[in-house]
Amino acid sequence: MTVVLPRTATTARTTSTVGTAPAPTPLLKATALGIALAALATVVWSGSFVTSRALADSVPPVQQAFWRWLVALVAVAPFGARQAWRQRQSIRRHLGYVVVASLLGVAVYNTLVNQAGLTTPAANMGMIMAASPVLMAVFERAAGGRLGARRVLGLLTACAGVVLLIAGGAGGGTGGFAAGDLWMVAAACCFASYSGLLRRKPAELGGTAFLFTTFLLGTALLLPAQGVSLVVQGGFAPTPGTVLPILYVGVVSSAVAFFAWNRAIALVGPSRAGVVYYLQPVCVALLSWAVLGESIGRPQVLCMALILGGVVLGAAARR
């Protein structure tokens, strides 16, 4: 005779949990996705600094920016043009916001980066841009956001690595500022402002429609400067050495990376995405070493380890 014992709440709880890992919460999934997208954008953008440096002698800065965004506009148009048309009333209502975002994130930011590439090594460009997360955190805190002690500690740790890296002259070997470094400081301010602005994006503006519209307006804002550059500096020779890099920054560094970054900001906020952005000087230094032959020494490696440690610490969930 078989005796069946009654199923109590305790036994039910035990049998349902044994051998079963707790499922990730939606917040944890969103955070992980946001950090992954921020890392993707950061790695891809690292290549654009190397590209800007490589094109410095063959394509004027404004023309680099104009053709980059024209290519990006064409790449995004099949996905974003129809959505932008459907949301044209919303875009019209928030036109001032969209124009400012286009000016900061598209027209001005990349033109400043290209201008810096004329006189600054790619590794220095990446290191100076790594200062922008500090401004992102300041903007988020000023808007009433809470950063959390762990994220602040990670931010300061990564920032210390960047400061030591610059003090050691990682890019140029001199430890001093080149003329283009000032252009990069201005670019960092533009990018931080753009990232802070993304946090306030109206919910009714879809991501793809917003991206297409900013690319369109940014390209239009660059058009007068493009005309002046053609008259004063002349055009450039369309060779594989100029066309392929522009296609890369237009499709991958613009269309793909900006979509990933904008989505990351929506998921985790500018300060947490900004901590991940500290990966950029590490990626740029490695790429500039592999592609452009810029040197990396032991002090640079140690500082990169400090930056990576800060990224891991600061990108974690609030505590």
Side-chain angles (χ1 to χ4, degrees):
M1 180 176 182
T2 302
V3 178
V4 180
L5 297 176
R7 185 180 179 86
T8 64
T10 302
T11 58
R13 222 174 16 246
T14 303
T15 56
S16 63
T17 56
V18 172
T20 304
T25 64
L27 178 60
L28 184 60
K29 289 181 179 180
T31 301
L33 178 60
I35 291 173
L37 289 173
L40 172 64
T42 298
V43 171
V44 170
W45 277 330
S46 300
S48 69
F49 287 115
V50 176
T51 300
S52 178
R53 179 64 175 165
L55 291 175
D57 296 329
S58 55
V59 184
V62 171
Q63 295 182 40
Q64 284 189 49
F66 176 80
W67 288 109
R68 166 182 181 155
W69 293 112
L70 187 61
V71 170
L73 182 63
V74 173
V76 172
F79 311 98
R82 182 174 298 178
Q83 290 190 27
W85 177 254
R86 290 173 179 171
Q87 298 182 27
R88 61 189 181 277
Q89 297 298 334
S90 299
I91 293 171
R92 186 179 295 114
R93 280 194 297 272
H94 303 285
L95 186 60
Y97 171 88
V98 177
V99 169
V100 173
S102 304
L103 183 67
L104 291 175
V106 177
V108 176
Y109 165 63
N110 285 109
T111 304
L112 292 174
V113 170
N114 297 337
Q115 183 67 35
L118 296 177
T119 55
T120 303
N124 273 15
M125 295 167 69
M127 286 185 290
I128 295 171
M129 271 303 298
S132 58
V134 177
L135 294 174
M136 294 179 203
V138 170
F139 292 155
E140 183 169 354
R141 185 67 185 91
R146 295 183 58 190
L147 303 181
R150 183 168 182 171
R151 197 181 311 171
V152 171
L153 180 60
L155 190 74
L156 294 176
T157 301
C159 188
V162 172
V163 170
L164 292 175
L165 206 54
I166 294 176
T174 62
F177 277 96
D181 293 339
L182 298 178
W183 292 109
M184 284 307 304
V185 171
C189 292
C190 276
F191 183 74
S193 301
Y194 170 76
S195 297
L197 201 62
L198 289 179
R199 192 63 168 171
R200 297 177 174 271
K201 184 175 77 69
E204 59 186 295
L205 293 179
T208 308
F210 174 75
L211 205 65
F212 173 81
T213 306
T214 54
F215 287 3
L216 178 62
L217 292 177
T219 305
L221 290 169
L222 281 168
L223 192 56
Q226 167 74 356
V228 172
S229 178
L230 288 173
V231 171
V232 175
Q233 299 172 299
F236 63 92
T239 65
T242 57
V243 173
L244 292 179
I246 289 175
L247 289 176
Y248 169 80
V249 295
V251 177
V252 184
S253 291
S254 299
V256 175
F258 267 75
F259 178 83
W261 183 257
N262 291 3
R263 182 60 179 156
I265 293 292
L267 289 171
V268 299
S271 68
R272 188 176 294 171
V275 173
V276 180
Y277 193 75
Y278 272 121
L279 287 168
Q280 185 158 261
V282 179
C283 298
V284 174
L286 293 174
L287 285 172
S288 63
W289 167 75
V291 178
L292 302 178
E294 295 179 0
S295 61
I296 299 177
R298 183 177 297 177
Q300 287 80 11
V301 174
L302 294 176
C303 291
M304 289 176 191
L306 191 61
I307 293 170
L308 289 171
V311 170
V312 172
L313 183 64
R318 288 190 180 98
R319 297 227 176 149

